[in-house]
Amino acid sequence: MSYIIVALIAFLFSYLSSPLTIKLARRFSLVDLPKSPHPAALHKKTLPRAGGIAPLLGFLAALTIFALWSPAFFFSKAVWGIVISAALLVALGTADDKYNLNPYLRLAANFAIVGIVVAAGVGINSFTNPLGGVFFLNQTIYHISLPAIFGPLAGAHSIVLWADLFAFLWIIWVMNALNWSSGVDGQLPGIASIALLLLGIVASALVSKDPGQFFVAVLAFAAAGAFLGFLPFSFYPQKIMPGYGGSTLAGFLIATLGILSGAKLAVVSLVILIPLIDSLWAILRRVLGKHSPVWGDSFHLHHQLLRMGWSIPQICYFYYFVTAVFGLLALQLDSQEKFFALAILGVIIFSALFTIFILVGKFDLKKYG
């Protein structure tokens, strides 16, 4: 019941605050014009952009009410790190929605903000060996540990860890992948709702073995409810765009909660596999074309599907379906099976993206090397 309650609270606050966010965004010119200079822009009318505010308010409202019922929630460094970082990301996104910040400045700010949650103790100390039990030096290795570089620097938590570096890069990657997969109406909040719901299910299933997972499940269900409450205003025809704040908030919460739910990175990777592969393909084609990997283009999968004649709702339903199916698949597989599923599906998706780019995107050898 706790999970259902926090999800409903987050949903209601997000849903009810979305119309107000739309009005305030228009009043303060937080809008995206139909002739936006961004190459990935698809809309044909002026739209509010500050879509990260409503999900954030829903998420924070649910956590605040839950903390009043369970004061122990207040004393978690990880929770405070997540709350502070989430608020800063939406503030950064709102500033970008207003002033169209330089992508390098945004990336630098993301590094600093993610550093807060990593410093709060969100790190990956070990992960399950994807090859199963491997016999090495007279022992069978089931988990791979990430040791400290220098050791503890801040009390019980070691800041300079391989674990922290790995977590840092993981969170940044997922944030950017979700940001690049927010191109059509309803795409981002739908993916985020499904992924966060599945992470909540994963965490809740671990509560009997690890009681600390109860708080992780609460965070995940609250975040899922928040983005689900925003979805009706984002779905086609959208009344407000997620904006940079909404997309990075979604990626941040998914990546961070994936770590806290027992470092279930394979589960997260399967759930959002298409956005992750699409982001790798975007970086590769931009680098090969001698372009900056942080500058946008109009060759993501959703752009190509539009060129193939798909409608915006069809693209959304496709992403929702694949996210849900891959997520349910991840829940059924053991660690070794997830590794092979990631490898096989990753190759298939990457090959499909490359083929679609050649056939539909009018591949230019001179431009892309």
Side-chain angles (χ1 to χ4, degrees):
M1 285 301 298
S2 298
Y3 306 145
I4 296 174
I5 291 172
V6 294
L8 285 175
I9 293 171
F11 175 89
L12 288 174
F13 271 86
S14 178
Y15 182 84
L16 294 175
S17 61
S18 291
L20 179 60
T21 302
I22 293 172
K23 292 181 180 179
L24 291 175
R26 292 189 180 279
R27 178 178 178 181
F28 292 101
S29 299
L30 296 166
V31 296
D32 202 65
L33 302 175
K35 295 183 179 179
S36 169
H38 195 289
L42 296 173
H43 56 91
K44 298 180 180 179
K45 62 180 181 179
T46 301
L47 286 171
R49 295 180 64 184
I53 295 176
L56 176 68
L57 292 177
F59 180 64
L60 295 181
L63 296 190
T64 301
I65 294 173
F66 177 79
L68 295 175
W69 174 72
S70 179
F73 206 58
F74 276 118
F75 299 100
S76 170
K77 287 195 306 179
V79 170
W80 277 106
I82 290 172
V83 168
I84 293 171
S85 297
L88 290 175
L89 282 172
V90 173
L92 173 66
T94 304
D96 180 67
D97 293 337
K98 176 68 175 179
Y99 300 109
N100 287 315
L101 302 176
N102 184 285
Y104 292 104
L105 176 61
R106 291 186 322 201
L107 185 61
N110 284 336
F111 286 160
I113 294 171
V114 172
I116 294 173
V117 76
V118 172
V122 178
I124 305 170
N125 297 313
S126 66
F127 55 91
T128 304
N129 188 344
L131 299 178
V134 176
F135 190 75
F136 180 70
L137 295 180
N138 296 320
Q139 62 179 330
T140 302
I141 301 175
Y142 292 97
H143 291 81
I144 300 173
S145 298
L146 299 173
I149 301 175
F150 296 115
L153 294 180
H157 177 60
S158 301
I159 293 179
V160 186
L161 291 171
W162 286 113
D164 295 331
L165 178 61
F166 191 79
F168 184 86
L169 296 175
W170 162 255
I171 296 171
I172 291 292
W173 179 26
V174 175
M175 284 170 55
N176 280 279
L178 267 292
N179 179 46
W180 291 342
S181 286
S182 60
V184 299
D185 308 27
Q187 183 179 5
L188 174 83
I191 294 174
S193 299
I194 295 170
L196 290 163
L197 178 62
L198 288 168
L199 282 173
I201 293 172
V202 169
S204 62
L206 297 173
V207 171
S208 59
K209 296 180 180 179
D210 180 7
Q213 290 295 312
F214 173 71
F215 289 149
V216 179
V218 167
L219 288 165
F221 281 108
F227 278 98
L228 194 60
F230 176 70
L231 179 59
F233 299 91
S234 177
F235 197 77
Y236 183 82
Q238 63 183 340
K239 300 176 180 64
I240 183 171
M241 301 172 68
Y244 188 74
S247 58
T248 53
L249 175 65
F252 170 78
L253 291 174
I254 291 170
T256 304
L257 294 175
I259 294 172
L260 292 178
S261 62
K264 300 298 182 182
L265 305 193
V267 173
V268 176
S269 297
L270 271 172
V271 172
I272 58 170
L273 187 57
I274 288 184
L276 291 178
I277 299 298
D278 194 21
S279 68
L280 290 177
W281 168 230
I283 293 172
L284 178 61
R285 68 170 179 265
R286 292 170 189 173
V287 171
L288 290 177
K290 299 180 180 180
H291 301 295
S292 170
V294 302
W295 288 95
D297 60 31
S298 59
F299 292 99
H300 291 290
L301 177 60
H302 52 269
H303 294 112
Q304 304 290 42
L305 292 177
L306 283 171
R307 292 188 179 100
M308 292 170 62
W310 288 38
S311 68
I312 288 176
Q314 285 175 334
I315 294 173
C316 280
Y317 294 139
F318 167 74
Y319 271 88
Y320 299 169
F321 176 77
V322 173
T323 302
V325 169
F326 283 7
L328 294 174
L329 177 65
L331 296 180
Q332 303 300 318
L333 302 178
D334 60 30
S335 298
Q336 191 171 5
E337 290 170 339
K338 289 172 192 168
F339 173 75
F340 287 110
L342 280 171
I344 295 171
L345 291 173
V347 171
I348 292 173
I349 293 171
F350 188 88
S351 301
L353 289 173
F354 183 75
T355 301
I356 292 173
F357 184 66
I358 292 176
L359 298 178
V360 181
K362 297 180 180 179
F363 189 79
D364 188 340
L365 289 175
K366 293 182 180 180
K367 182 177 179 181
Y368 287 94

